């Protein structure tokens, strides 16, 4: 039996990938060689000298479905070498006259296919078999286990042990499993126990869907990945997700039917929930956050009031909350105003009021007022936030008028921050560019700068184009993106690269820009730590 050489072999030679076609699809072209030509059986090697015009048939000793890798090499001379069926019908040309060497790969469509060799000039031909793998042997190799702990467990299971002691240890340590990885990175292994059909990871470092693999026939399901220091994320595990014949989107979103907090994770978010389906699990690869502003510290609380605001131009009414920090004085000429899009989420999941209480109490930013705006619903959010003139006017006129009425002050533009994540990030940028007289600072987290009014398929960074084409405005930017927010499924450019593009264009236009990238993805768990970083950069001393 012959085996494939190392992968590097393929990189050193030109490879022609060839598959013998089924008989039904082969052309009925006549072979140029009569059946009476010299026929030889080929098993592993063939070498001989040819006279010009000489023909030889090499009958390959291979069953249908067998994979073969052949090396065809000539010395002097010139050869045509074709793959033919056993009854000498042409399938594919391997070697043309004048080519000296070729690696040919074949999947035999029938038993004993034939190599037809024709010498155009005197010369020598060498044919060697480098690999021969029958259809029964064509089994993909298992991926190596990144986790040394799982490798050790696999060996113990092979020796007849059970997983009981492994799970006892995991219950003590918590999940995901963390081990040292290459080049200062870490190996993360997500674990699930006892599923019957499948397990999916929802969220995680890249905030995507990933299948877990089963360790042999044990009750251990796992998924390992290599991540850098400081990676932070939230996630859920979905055991036994229904799989069915249906629309692609329905099959993908079926993960939500079973997605729930990881029972072995030590950091649920929120800490208490009605059930595991309404809870995330969280993790941070060391080092831990230097200053987790979202944690309760017993500082004086700001005041919060709720009201509704109507827009005749948009034709809708939305919820709005006004926050006044401890020590806020509307008469103070430098008093800042913060406006946050998706305010409901940042209040509930981002602990935003606690963040502001802590930042002010510890002197990281001055006392301020803040407005938290509701998106109403996802459909309106997608329509209003990205470069929408009517919505920009609503924020600049209606919201600011209500702020003046309710709080009693008109903040300076250079002390007014628009903040948001995703569509909220691009909304903050485009509204400030339209109304720099009202909004002089932008705090954009994972801004969706892949967006374009004609659709993301254009590949153009619409906001970068706006910045390039317009006169410089007096606006300061804090741009952040996650290192894992790269392009996915070829749909658009992702988040990371368009943010870098916008940064470069802003700097070229002489804007003041704070640009930061975090080992995170599109995740509120990360944004609740990034938002205070942005506020300190834009409003701190």
């Amino acid at each position: 039996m012959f085996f494939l050489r190392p992968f590097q072999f393929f990189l050193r030679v030109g490879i022609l990938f060839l598959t013998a076609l089924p008989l039904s699809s082969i052309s009925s072209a006549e072979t140029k060689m009569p059946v009476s030509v010299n026929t030889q059986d080929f098993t592993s090697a063939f070498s001989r000298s040819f006279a010009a015009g000489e023909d030889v048939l090499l009958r390959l000793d291979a069953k249908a479905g067998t994979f073969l890798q052949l090396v065809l090499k000539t010395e002097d001379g010139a050869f045509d070498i074709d793959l033919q069926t056993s009854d000498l019908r042409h399938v594919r040309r391997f070697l043309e006259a004048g080519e000296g060497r070729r690696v040919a790969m074949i999947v035999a469509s029938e038993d004993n296919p034939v190599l037809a060799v024709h010498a155009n000039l005197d010369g020598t031909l060498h044919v060697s078999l480098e690999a021969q793998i029958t259809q029964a042997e064509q089994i993909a190799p298992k991926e190596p286990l990144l986790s040394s702990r799982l490798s050790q467990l696999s060996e113990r299971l092979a020796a007849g042990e059970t997983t009981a002691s492994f799970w006892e240890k995991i219950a003590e340590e918590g999940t995901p499993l963390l081990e040292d990885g290459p080049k200062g990175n870490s190996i993360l292994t997500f674990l699930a126990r006892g599923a019957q059909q499948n397990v999916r990871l929802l969220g995680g470092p890249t905030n995507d869907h990933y299948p877990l693999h089963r360790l042999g026939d044990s009750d251990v399901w796992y998924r390992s990945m290599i991540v850098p220091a400081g990676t932070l994320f939230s996630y859920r595990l979905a055991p036994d997700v229904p799989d069915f014949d249906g629309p692609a989107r329905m099959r993908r979103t079926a993960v939500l039917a079973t997605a729930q907090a990881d029972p072995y994770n030590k950091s649920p978010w929120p800490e208490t929930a009605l059930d595991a389906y309404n809870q995330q699990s969280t993790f941070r690869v060391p080092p831990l956050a230097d200053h987790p502003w979202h944690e309760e510290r017993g500082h004086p609380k700001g005041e919060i009031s709720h009201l509704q605001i109507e827009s005749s131009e948009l034709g809708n009414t939305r919820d709005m909350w006004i926050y006044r920090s401890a020590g806020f004085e509307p008469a103070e000429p430098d008093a800042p105003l913060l406006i946050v899009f998706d305010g409901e989420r940042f209040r509930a999941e981002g602990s935003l009021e606690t963040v502001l209480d802590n930042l002010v109490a510890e002197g990281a930013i001055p006392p301020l007022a803040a407005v938290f705006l509701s998106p109403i619903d996802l459909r309106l959010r997608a329509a209003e936030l990205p470069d929408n003139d009517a919505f920009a006017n609503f924020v600049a006129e209606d919201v600011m008028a209500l702020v003046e009425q309710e709080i009693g002050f008109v903040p300076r533009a250079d002390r007014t921050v628009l903040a948001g994540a995703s569509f909220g990030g691009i909304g903050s940028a485009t509204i400030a560019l339209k109304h720099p007289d009202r909004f002089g600072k932008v705090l954009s987290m994972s801004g969706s700068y892949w967006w374009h009014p004609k659709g993301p398929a254009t590949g153009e960074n619409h906001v970068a184009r706006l910045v390039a084409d317009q006169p410089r405005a007096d606006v300061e930017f804090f741009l952040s993106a996650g290192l894992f927010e790269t392009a996915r499924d070829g749909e658009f450019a992702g988040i990371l690269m368009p943010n870098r593009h916008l940064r470069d264009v802003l700097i070229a236009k002489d804007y003041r820009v704070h640009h930061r990238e975090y080992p995170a993805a599109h995740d509120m768990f990360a944004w609740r730590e990034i938002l205070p970083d942005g506020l300190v950069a834009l409003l701190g001393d």
Side-chain angles (χ1 to χ4, degrees), residues 84-105:
Q84 296 186 351
T85 62
S86 58
D87 60 353
L88 305 185
R89 287 185 294 153
H90 177 82
V91 176
R92 191 88 178 244
R93 173 63 54 91
F94 282 132
L95 193 71
E96 290 278 7
E99 293 181 292
R101 180 184 174 91
R102 179 71 70 183
V103 175
M105 295 187 179

Side-chain angles (χ1 to χ4, degrees), residues 179-452:
E179 299 169 275
D180 292 337
K183 300 180 180 180
N185 294 317
S186 296
I187 298 172
L188 273 181
T189 301
F190 296 87
L191 296 167
R193 186 178 190 180
Q196 298 301 309
Q197 302 298 327
N198 59 64
V199 181
R200 290 190 208 168
L201 168 67
L202 179 61
T206 61
N207 194 25
D208 202 356
H209 293 208
Y210 284 104
L212 272 64
H213 310 293
R214 192 170 188 172
L215 188 63
D217 60 357
S218 74
D219 62 352
V220 177
W221 293 78
Y222 70 95
R223 179 89 190 195
S224 297
M225 53 187 70
I226 298 174
V227 297
T231 296
L232 68 163
F233 56 88
S234 62
Y235 71 98
R236 286 182 286 171
L237 294 176
D240 295 321
V241 178
D243 199 3
F244 48 86
D245 184 10
R249 179 168 178 77
M250 183 183 295
R251 295 185 66 196
R252 179 175 173 83
T253 56
V255 68
L256 299 174
T258 65
Q260 56 196 276
D262 180 352
Y264 289 97
N265 180 275
K266 302 290 188 180
S267 301
W269 178 47
E271 291 186 9
T272 59
L274 186 61
D275 53 64
Y277 296 95
N278 288 285
Q279 198 173 41
Q280 304 267 352
S281 298
T282 66
F283 195 78
R284 178 192 289 277
V285 177
L288 302 181
D290 293 333
H291 218 75
W293 295 105
H294 58 275
E295 294 182 355
E296 179 58 56
R297 299 180 188 175
H299 291 311
K301 304 296 181 188
E303 299 178 1
I304 190 81
S305 59
H306 170 260
L307 43 83
Q308 290 190 317
I309 182 170
E310 181 180 0
S311 169
S312 57
E313 187 173 1
L314 294 172
N316 54 43
T317 301
R318 74 192 66 230
D319 291 312
M320 170 175 161
W321 293 264
I322 294 180
Y323 165 92
R324 301 167 179 83
S325 74
F328 169 73
E329 292 291 343
E332 171 61 46
D334 291 337
L337 174 68
L338 168 67
I339 298 177
V340 181
F341 300 113
D342 299 311
E344 288 163 295
R345 279 200 69 195
F346 274 96
R347 291 189 69 218
E349 301 174 42
S351 306
L352 185 50
E353 290 154 52
T354 300
V355 166
L356 297 177
D357 291 340
N358 291 336
L359 287 169
V360 170
E362 298 183 29
I365 62 174
L368 80 166
V371 172
F372 311 136
L373 281 176
S374 168
I376 301 181
D377 59 42
L378 294 179
R379 181 186 62 82
L380 284 172
R381 178 180 183 270
E384 291 178 344
L385 284 172
D387 196 18
N388 184 311
D389 289 340
F391 186 75
N393 293 336
F394 160 72
V395 178
E397 298 169 7
D398 298 350
V399 172
M400 295 299 284
L402 192 55
V403 166
E404 181 177 359
Q405 173 184 318
E406 292 292 321
I407 304 178
F409 89 128
V410 179
R412 299 199 323 248
D414 66 336
R415 302 297 286 167
T416 303
V417 181
L418 291 178
S422 193
F423 274 161
I426 189 175
S428 298
T430 54
I431 294 170
L433 291 171
K434 293 176 189 297
H435 298 279
D437 57 321
R438 304 306 301 265
F439 312 112
K441 296 182 186 292
V442 170
L443 199 168
S444 171
M445 299 167 284
S446 301
S448 299
Y449 298 111
W450 53 264
W451 180 89
H452 193 281

Side-chain angles (χ1 to χ4, degrees), residues 145-157:
L145 292 169
L146 290 176
S147 166
S148 60
R149 295 271 297 271
L150 286 185
S151 295
Q152 295 165 11
L153 174 61
S154 181
E155 293 175 1
R156 294 199 301 271
L157 292 176

Side-chain angles (χ1 to χ4, degrees), residues 12-185:
R12 293 197 298 266
V13 297
I15 298 178
L16 179 63
F17 290 92
L18 297 165
T19 301
L21 301 176
L23 292 180
S24 60
S25 62
I26 296 175
S27 168
S28 60
E30 294 290 335
T31 179
K32 65 185 177 183
M33 288 183 288
V35 178
S36 60
V37 300
N38 182 13
T39 302
Q40 299 185 27
D41 289 332
F42 175 87
T43 53
S44 62
F46 170 86
S47 182
R48 60 161 286 184
S49 297
F50 283 74
E54 188 175 359
D55 297 313
V56 169
L57 297 179
L58 298 179
R59 194 171 302 278
L60 306 180
D61 182 19
K63 298 292 185 182
T66 297
F67 168 79
L68 299 145
Q69 178 180 301
L70 303 173
V71 175
L72 314 175
K73 182 181 178 181
T74 67
E75 295 179 15
D76 303 320
F79 294 84
D80 293 334
I81 301 179
D82 298 331
L83 177 67
Q84 296 186 351
T85 62
S86 58
D87 60 353
L88 305 185
R89 287 185 294 153
H90 177 82
V91 176
R92 191 88 178 244
R93 173 63 54 91
F94 282 132
L95 193 71
E96 290 278 7
E99 293 181 292
R101 180 184 174 91
R102 179 71 70 183
V103 175
M105 295 187 179
I106 307 167
V107 175
S109 63
E110 60 168 9
D111 293 348
N112 306 121
V114 171
L115 282 184
V117 180
H118 175 73
N120 296 286
L121 299 171
D122 294 350
T124 301
L125 173 68
H126 306 280
V127 182
S128 60
L129 179 66
E130 300 295 304
Q132 180 171 330
I133 304 173
T134 67
Q135 193 168 32
E137 295 169 325
Q138 293 170 25
I139 301 173
K142 293 182 178 179
E143 293 185 7
L145 292 169
L146 290 176
S147 166
S148 60
R149 295 271 297 271
L150 286 185
S151 295
Q152 295 165 11
L153 174 61
S154 181
E155 293 175 1
R156 294 199 301 271
L157 292 176
E161 295 186 26
T162 70
T163 62
S165 61
F166 172 80
W167 285 117
E168 289 176 4
K169 188 68 173 175
I170 292 301
E172 295 175 8
E173 297 176 6
T175 50
L177 186 62
L178 181 66
E179 299 169 275
D180 292 337
K183 300 180 180 180
N185 294 317

